[in-house]
Amino acid sequence: MESALAYFEENGWPASTTIPSVLVKRRLVERHWLPDDADIRVTRLRVTTGLAPEVEVFLFPRCSPGYTDEVGAQERVHGFENHVGLFMDRPEERSLTRLADRLETTGRMVYEGSAHNPHENTTMLYFAPSAAVAMSRRRFPRWELQCAGDLTACADRRPVRTEAVYSAYAALKANHVDAGLTQSARRRPVPVPVPVPAAVREG
């Protein structure tokens, strides 16, 4: 952690105070079978002056429980956490719902889920590209809506279409780039959400 922050400082990229990640940690734990006490943190960098966007960086210290080089290799090759984040500083449930609706219709995206991070009091909603869109190479295929405050109730009313998310993940995996993937990482597939049969869901 200290070496990463020192590297940012050496390059003139002011970093915000690191805080524990909630949503990304949950996703990494599920994808890579990490222990619950894995230390996943997040910071934001200012890499240019002026009104440029911040760069969000997730840090997984080598001394953390569950760390292996394979985790980083798999994340890079599949671009799982590459995303564009939109921050809503004064969100209202109505405007958030309308924007999320637009992303899932005109934007051809699929809602993946949400989480509230109490460490900074923000709520994140994640969207993956639909399977058809995921087959087209894009640098940042995912979108995140980050909202000030706790909008858990609003986010929980939006259904996660499990089968569509599964198809999106499968398409992202099929459209990956092999460069830089280690041999050991190739032997261990990255898990994706398993579609639940309708009979099971209803029963």
Side-chain angles (χ1 to χ4, degrees):
M1 187 76 67
E2 291 75 13
S3 62
L5 295 176
Y7 177 79
F8 300 150
E9 183 177 357
E10 290 170 4
N11 283 274
W13 303 331
S16 64
T17 302
T18 62
I19 60 172
S21 171
V22 175
L23 182 54
V24 168
K25 174 182 175 177
R26 186 174 75 203
R27 292 156 59 92
L28 290 176
V29 167
E30 293 173 353
R31 277 202 294 268
H32 303 282
W33 304 286
L34 301 179
D36 290 337
D37 59 347
D39 185 14
I40 311 295
R41 294 184 171 264
V42 61
T43 184
R44 296 182 180 88
L45 309 179
R46 283 284 184 183
V47 297
T48 59
T49 59
L51 298 176
E54 294 178 319
V55 176
E56 191 174 57
V57 179
F58 296 96
L59 303 173
F60 190 7
R62 293 179 182 273
C63 59
S64 168
Y67 176 88
T68 68
D69 290 341
E70 290 185 13
V71 174
Q74 290 283 6
E75 290 296 305
R76 283 190 294 272
V77 76
H78 293 101
F80 274 125
E81 294 304 338
N82 289 347
H83 62 264
V84 171
L86 304 177
F87 184 77
M88 303 177 69
D89 59 348
R90 285 183 247 175
E92 297 177 351
E93 289 196 9
R94 183 178 178 184
S95 59
L96 176 60
T97 299
R98 291 179 63 186
L99 179 54
D101 287 343
R102 183 62 62 89
L103 289 178
E104 289 210 80
T105 54
T106 307
R108 297 191 296 166
M109 308 198 83
V110 182
Y111 177 55
E112 293 184 84
S114 68
H116 173 250
N117 191 330
H119 303 286
E120 60 179 355
N121 193 25
T122 57
T123 304
M124 293 77 64
L125 284 73
Y126 260 64
F127 297 82
S130 63
V133 174
M135 291 307 295
S136 301
R137 293 197 189 282
R138 294 190 302 170
R139 189 174 181 186
F140 299 107
R142 280 190 170 81
W143 279 40
E144 171 191 325
L145 298 183
Q146 186 173 126
C147 310
D150 186 354
L151 281 86
T152 303
C154 178
D156 286 349
R157 288 195 293 270
R158 179 165 296 275
V160 176
R161 293 178 286 141
T162 306
E163 293 184 9
V165 172
Y166 170 79
S167 297
Y169 270 56
L172 284 169
K173 184 176 180 181
N175 194 24
H176 70 276
V177 180
D178 286 321
L181 185 61
T182 64
Q183 189 65 32
S184 59
R186 285 195 185 95
R187 290 195 296 268
R188 184 183 184 190
V190 174
V192 297
V194 177
V196 180
V200 175
R201 291 200 303 272
E202 294 171 1

